């Protein structure tokens, strides 16, 4: 039991991480498509491709095509998860840096498009890699600004905005990674508790199974949910009892259960499961609160 649980946890976490990449892919396709549409419709003519419209057109089309390739790789789950995260973030960083270069640089606001990929990858990767990727994206944006402004007069405001954006990318990467780490720790703690509860339940079942006293558990519909080996021996049921109505297995016992349900002060009496069987004395108690709680029945052989 304990060796299987970590494997299940890692598998579930892996599935969640792949889902994050799928959501990021949807974002990327929608973003690239929107940029292409906005460029051709001239809805934002003073922002998109303001300095180099041909470059913006080429990059936006290439970005959309790259999204299709990434979708193909993601559907095949190849390469591995971490490699996919690196590739996707690299594609986003290069595309956004070039789009910003063609559109008046970071002051155009296009650099903020890197926030979503940064957060998504920070949720998947470790802290060091999340910070490294945010740093790489910041360096690329600074490089874009240096290249765009060289050799003209330097615009200090643009570099200030780039620095602020880099700080935002760094903080979002750290925050996203912290959230992911806490979620994974909580998941691991929940799996550990669940495993311990399962082991304890298995231990209790084994203890009940070896008891000499007959043990039966009924649900709210008086169907047998569990009975141990002693109860099987004492009742000697004609059919497989688990899942059956108690009336089919032991009618005399079922009658006493009905009497006890109608009157909690009812005193159970000795009964015979069938002709020639030992005399049995039942004891009833609820495993919880309310009339719908499971009913525990203990059977004692009066002859022993």
């Amino acid at each position: 039991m304990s060796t299987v649980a970590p494997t299940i946890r890692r598998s579930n976490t892996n599935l969640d991480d792949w889902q994050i990449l799928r959501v990021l892919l949807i974002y990327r396709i929608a973003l690239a498509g929107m940029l292409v549409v906005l460029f051709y419709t001239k809805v934002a003519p003073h922002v998109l491709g303001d300095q180099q419209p041909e470059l913006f057109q080429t990059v936006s089309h290439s970005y959309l095509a790259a999204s299709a390739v990434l979708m193909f790789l993601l559907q095949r789950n190849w390469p591995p998860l971490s490699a996919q995260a690196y590739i996707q973030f690299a594609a986003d960083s290069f595309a956004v840096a070039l789009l910003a270069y063609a559109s008046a640089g970071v002051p155009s606001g296009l650099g903020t498009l890197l926030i979503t990929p940064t957060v998504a990858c920070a949720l998947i990767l470790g802290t060091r890699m999340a910070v490294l990727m945010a740093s790489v994206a910041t360096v690329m944006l600074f490089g874009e600004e240096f290249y765009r402004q060289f050799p003209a007069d330097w615009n200090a405001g643009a570099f200030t905005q780039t620095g602020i954006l880099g700080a935002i990318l760094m903080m979002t990467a750290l925050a996203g990674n912290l959230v992911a780490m806490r979620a994974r720790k909580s998941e691991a703690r929940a799996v550990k508790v669940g495993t311990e509860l399962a082991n304890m339940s298995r231990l209790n079942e084994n203890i009940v199974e070896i008891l000499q006293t007959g043990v039966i558990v009924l649900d709210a519909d008086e169907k047998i949910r569990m009975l141990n080996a002693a109860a099987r021996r004492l009742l000697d049921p004609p059919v497989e009892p688990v899942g059956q109505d108690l009336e089919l297995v032991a009618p005399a016992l079922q009658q006493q259960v009905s009497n006890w349900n109608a009157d909690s002060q009812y005193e159970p009496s000795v009964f015979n499961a069938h002709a020639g069987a030992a005399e049995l004395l039942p004891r009833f108690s609820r495993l919880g609160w309310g009339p719908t709680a499971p009913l525990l029945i203990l059977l004692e052989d009066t002859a022993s």
Side-chain angles (χ1 to χ4, degrees), residues 24 27-28 31 63 67 70 87-98 113-114 116-118 121 140:
L24 179 59
Y27 162 83
R28 184 181 300 107
L31 173 63
Y63 194 28
S67 300
L70 293 174
I87 294 173
Q88 292 200 23
F89 190 80
D92 292 328
S93 299
F94 278 111
V96 171
L98 290 174
L113 297 177
L114 282 177
T116 299
T118 300
C121 292
M140 291 184 64

Side-chain angles (χ1 to χ4, degrees), residues 111-251:
T112 58
L113 297 177
L114 282 177
I115 295 177
T116 299
T118 300
V119 173
C121 292
L123 293 174
I124 298 173
L125 303 173
T127 304
R128 292 181 180 179
M129 292 309 303
V131 172
L132 177 61
M133 296 180 76
S135 301
V136 169
T138 302
V139 170
M140 291 184 64
L141 292 176
F142 269 111
E144 174 271 327
E145 282 300 312
F146 274 111
Y147 188 79
R148 184 178 66 85
Q149 297 187 37
F150 184 84
D153 295 334
W154 302 110
N155 182 356
F159 286 107
T160 300
Q161 293 183 42
T162 304
I164 294 174
L165 179 57
I168 293 174
L169 292 177
M170 192 72 65
M171 288 187 293
T172 54
L174 289 173
N177 187 259
L178 179 61
V179 170
M181 289 178 60
R182 289 187 175 180
R184 290 188 176 97
K185 289 181 179 178
S186 298
E187 183 184 4
R189 193 176 299 113
V191 170
K192 181 180 179 181
V193 172
T195 301
E196 292 176 351
L197 289 176
N199 291 337
M200 185 62 66
S201 177
R202 178 66 61 85
L203 175 62
N204 292 337
E205 290 176 2
N206 291 337
I207 293 174
V208 169
E209 189 66 22
I210 64 176
L211 288 176
Q212 296 302 312
T213 301
V215 179
I216 304 174
V217 177
L218 302 181
D219 61 16
D221 297 325
E222 295 186 2
K223 291 184 181 294
I224 298 176
R225 289 174 51 178
M226 187 274 289
L227 78 166
N228 66 351
R232 289 177 183 268
R233 176 176 53 81
L234 294 172
L235 294 178
D236 190 18
V239 295
E240 168 57 37
V242 177
Q244 298 289 344
D245 290 330
L246 180 60
E247 186 176 7
L248 296 176
V249 177

Side-chain angles (χ1 to χ4, degrees), residues 213-216 281-285 296-300:
T213 301
V215 179
I216 304 174
L281 179 62
R283 300 178 185 274
F284 308 128
S285 62
L296 174 66
I297 305 174
L298 300 179
L299 298 177
E300 295 183 7

Side-chain angles (χ1 to χ4, degrees), residues 35 39 48-49 52-60 99 102-103 110:
L35 290 174
F39 177 78
L48 304 182
Q52 299 192 35
E54 292 183 357
L55 176 61
F56 187 94
Q57 180 182 15
T58 301
V59 174
S60 60
L99 291 172
S103 306
L110 291 177

